[in-house]
Amino acid sequence: MRLSVSTVFTASIAWLSTCIPSPAVTTDRRCVFLASPQNTEWIHRAGNISGSSQHCARTECCMGYFQLENQKPTPVLLSCSIIQTNCPNSSCHASVLHQNYIRCLCSSDFCNVNITFNQQAKQAEYTKPPYSSDLLSTKVLIIPAGALILFLSLVMALKWKILLQRCRPVTPSNPHDVLEVSSIDLDKHLELQKVVACGHFASVWQGTFQGSSVALKVFPTALRQEFAKEKDVYKLPLMMHSGIVRFLGHGKIGNDFVIVLELATQGSLNAFLSKTVCDWGCTLKLAQTLSQGLAYLHTDLKMNGVYKPAVAHCDLSSSNVLVRADGSCALCDFGCSTVLQWQRVQGYSIIVENRMQMGTLQYMSPEILEGCVNLSSGRCLLQGDVYSLGLLLWEMLMLCSDLSTGSPVPEHVLPYETELGRNPSLEALLTFVSEKRKRPIIPHLWARVSQGLLLQELLEDCWDHDADARLTAECAANRLAYLSLDV
């Protein structure tokens, strides 16, 4: 995403974090382009696409992924490099095989169309165990499967059971068990199967661990700090709730760092909404479980001598929420999160200020877009999450068939996509959201149903321009909990 910021806003947004992709820098590199329709939107961020070629916007590197079929490489993804990286070779060479995929990076125009593969290295790779991670050690990720994280359903048995009680779970009999099982010897029990998604810092694999299906978020060696940051959030005491993706452990595969998580068959909320029209019961369950998970995340909790601090997610979007097989939501991707601590005088404050990171532009609250966040207090970050929650609830409700009675259900769109396009710029969002104080349109059809006005009021109270006037996540969850199943 290209963020061209005018001089007027330079001082106010200088603190925006690395969770926002780096500004696009136009280059002269041109690469052959080939991608499946579901991947085109993601790859489009790497540069402008024109037919079978792409003009790179971020790096001087072309990339190619090929599948070996009868010893012959067949291209499956050709494009400009997704991220900034080094590519010293002017032609497309590969010496690493992972299962039946090979890849290359090269630094000349259209160099990614043909690949030269080292056959001797290929034979050596076949002798490696199935969890070999040579491919993962690169910063280029295989075939992105859409925006941020896609998982499949949990089947691994745990030592404890968690029962959802509004915003508070029943904790394990020994809360310290969470820490005792967190370090896993992955090399002995893990098998990587296929890449199912990729994000800004890591790739997500489907795999098996001790015979059970799991999701594995794999960070290259160079991104050890990002791995540690997210792992530390998952490992917080009492971070066990049905509205938060289940953390199963962490470890290493070769030189790469891995977080082991449950699988969610329906993938991200973004992917789910793109292919599913829900009735009121389905929509209400999505909304309730999402809000309950956020309310628990925001809660500081003491139990059995163990303390869980409040956590601000800081990157709530439909790509960072998972949908399980039973239609419930689970928060994931805590790479931008900030851990808060409660102080009697000041309220919530930021434990480590260098963890201040903001996420997806179109889900950012007005005060965060403007750079007016008070860094001495963490409450503003919690209320920024509530603004994002309001947009997510709108995103769900727009696809509810029972709220569109008598009219066709619209196609899934992201917040502000109708008004500002799929990838709005910071300037456009500042003008629309902050200066004009506009929000996504709430259809008049909602007024025809019994709970339509309650839903409109809920959204408006979540995305209020004044952060102090917004609901808390717990209050939003309580309002949703009392909505009737009869729309």
Side-chain angles (χ1 to χ4, degrees):
M1 181 184 300
R2 186 184 180 95
L3 303 181
S4 176
V5 185
S6 65
T7 304
V8 175
F9 302 120
T10 299
S12 64
I13 67 168
W15 55 272
L16 285 176
S17 78
T18 57
C19 280
I20 303 174
S22 301
V25 178
T26 303
T27 73
D28 294 326
R29 179 68 62 237
R30 293 175 297 168
C31 305
V32 175
F33 176 79
L34 172 68
S36 59
Q38 61 266 34
N39 294 330
T40 301
E41 178 184 339
W42 174 266
I43 299 298
H44 189 274
R45 301 180 186 180
N48 295 325
I49 299 169
S50 178
S52 60
S53 66
Q54 185 174 31
H55 191 179
C56 299
R58 297 185 182 278
T59 73
E60 294 288 340
C61 304
C62 298
M63 74 174 184
Y65 278 93
F66 299 78
Q67 184 174 18
L68 287 180
E69 298 177 352
N70 298 323
Q71 311 302 317
K72 180 180 179 180
T74 301
V76 292
L77 175 64
L78 304 174
S79 72
C80 298
S81 177
I82 301 170
I83 60 177
Q84 297 180 16
T85 186
N86 294 324
C87 48
N89 295 326
S90 60
S91 57
C92 185
H93 292 275
S95 60
V96 174
L97 172 70
H98 187 84
Q99 296 183 3
N100 61 334
Y101 286 96
I102 53 178
R103 59 102 184 115
C104 73
L105 285 171
C106 51
S107 58
S108 61
D109 287 346
F110 307 119
C111 60
N112 58 334
V113 66
N114 292 316
I115 189 167
T116 301
F117 186 50
N118 185 323
Q119 295 295 319
Q120 291 181 347
K122 167 185 158 184
Q123 294 300 323
E125 289 296 323
Y126 271 125
T127 65
K128 290 194 174 184
Y131 52 78
S132 173
S133 60
D134 291 62
L135 178 59
L136 294 176
S137 64
T138 66
K139 292 184 180 179
V140 180
L141 310 175
I142 294 182
I143 315 174
L148 286 207
I149 298 180
L150 180 63
F151 295 102
L152 302 174
S153 177
L154 169 68
V155 291
M156 174 177 282
L158 302 177
K159 292 182 178 180
W160 54 80
K161 293 182 180 179
I162 302 301
L163 300 176
L164 175 63
Q165 294 181 346
R166 291 279 175 93
C167 303
R168 307 244 175 176
V170 176
T171 58
S173 57
N174 178 9
H176 296 288
D177 286 347
V178 178
L179 301 181
E180 292 173 1
V181 301
S182 63
S183 183
I184 297 176
D185 186 359
L186 298 180
D187 283 344
K188 294 183 179 180
H189 307 286
L190 180 72
E191 179 179 354
L192 297 175
Q193 295 174 335
K194 63 178 180 179
V195 174
V196 293
C198 79
H200 192 59
F201 298 124
S203 59
V204 178
W205 286 70
Q206 178 185 345
T208 59
F209 179 68
Q210 295 180 332
S212 298
S213 297
V214 294
L216 302 125
K217 190 167 185 178
V218 183
F219 296 76
T221 305
L223 298 179
R224 180 173 183 172
Q225 289 185 346
E226 285 73 14
F227 157 79
K229 185 185 300 182
E230 185 159 4
K231 176 204 67 176
D232 288 347
V233 175
Y234 279 117
K235 288 184 64 177
L236 288 171
L238 305 178
M239 267 288 286
M240 299 293 297
H241 189 272
S242 60
I244 298 173
V245 66
R246 192 68 53 83
F247 170 70
L248 305 178
H250 66 90
K252 291 187 70 176
I253 305 176
N255 294 323
D256 298 319
F257 298 93
V258 180
I259 294 175
V260 185
L261 302 166
E262 68 169 288
L263 293 159
T265 54
Q266 300 296 333
S268 70
L269 179 62
N270 189 317
F272 178 78
L273 295 177
S274 297
K275 62 186 179 184
T276 308
V277 174
C278 290
D279 60 16
W280 173 243
C282 169
T283 302
L284 186 58
K285 185 171 186 177
L286 291 172
Q288 288 176 339
T289 53
L290 171 61
S291 61
Q292 288 162 358
L294 184 63
Y296 185 79
L297 188 71
H298 284 187
T299 300
D300 61 334
L301 177 65
K302 291 182 179 179
M303 187 173 295
N304 299 328
V306 179
Y307 173 66
K308 172 202 166 293
V311 179
H313 190 285
C314 296
D315 192 14
L316 269 184
S317 71
S318 55
S319 295
N320 290 337
V321 176
L322 301 177
V323 182
R324 298 189 179 96
D326 64 357
S328 63
C329 285
L331 299 176
C332 68
D333 201 336
F334 297 101
C336 293
S337 297
T338 299
V339 178
L340 310 175
Q341 64 181 0
W342 176 258
Q343 296 179 350
R344 182 173 298 178
V345 177
Q346 297 179 347
Y348 285 118
S349 63
I350 298 169
I351 290 180
V352 183
E353 288 194 7
N354 62 13
R355 296 185 70 166
M356 272 289 300
Q357 296 182 343
M358 301 300 134
T360 309
L361 271 179
Q362 60 217 90
Y363 291 89
M364 287 183 185
S365 63
E367 65 273 13
I368 292 176
L369 286 172
E370 295 168 1
C372 297
V373 174
N374 180 5
L375 296 182
S376 65
S377 170
R379 186 177 184 275
C380 55
L381 300 183
L382 301 181
Q383 295 308 93
D385 280 353
V386 173
Y387 172 89
S388 303
L389 173 65
L391 296 181
L392 284 171
L393 294 175
W394 173 86
E395 205 171 331
M396 297 174 186
L397 293 167
M398 287 296 292
L399 294 177
C400 179
S401 57
D402 290 324
L403 293 177
S404 299
T405 304
S407 298
V409 177
E411 294 184 0
H412 173 239
V413 293
L414 300 177
Y416 306 116
E417 179 177 352
T418 301
E419 299 86 355
L420 303 177
R422 187 73 175 181
N423 296 302
S425 67
L426 177 60
E427 298 99 314
L429 284 166
L430 281 167
T431 300
F432 192 82
V433 174
S434 293
E435 295 179 17
K436 297 182 179 180
R437 301 196 176 190
K438 298 285 189 178
R439 297 295 184 268
I441 295 175
I442 297 176
H444 296 298
L445 289 174
W446 290 13
R448 300 179 183 178
V449 300
S450 60
Q451 300 185 86
L453 294 179
L454 294 176
L455 294 174
Q456 179 173 342
E457 182 180 11
L458 173 63
L459 296 185
E460 292 174 347
D461 288 346
C462 283
W463 63 39
D464 195 289
H465 192 83
D466 182 359
D468 291 331
R470 292 176 203 146
L471 302 177
T472 63
E474 183 177 9
C475 184
N478 288 338
R479 286 199 192 181
L480 286 164
Y482 285 111
L483 290 179
S484 169
L485 283 173
D486 183 6
V487 74

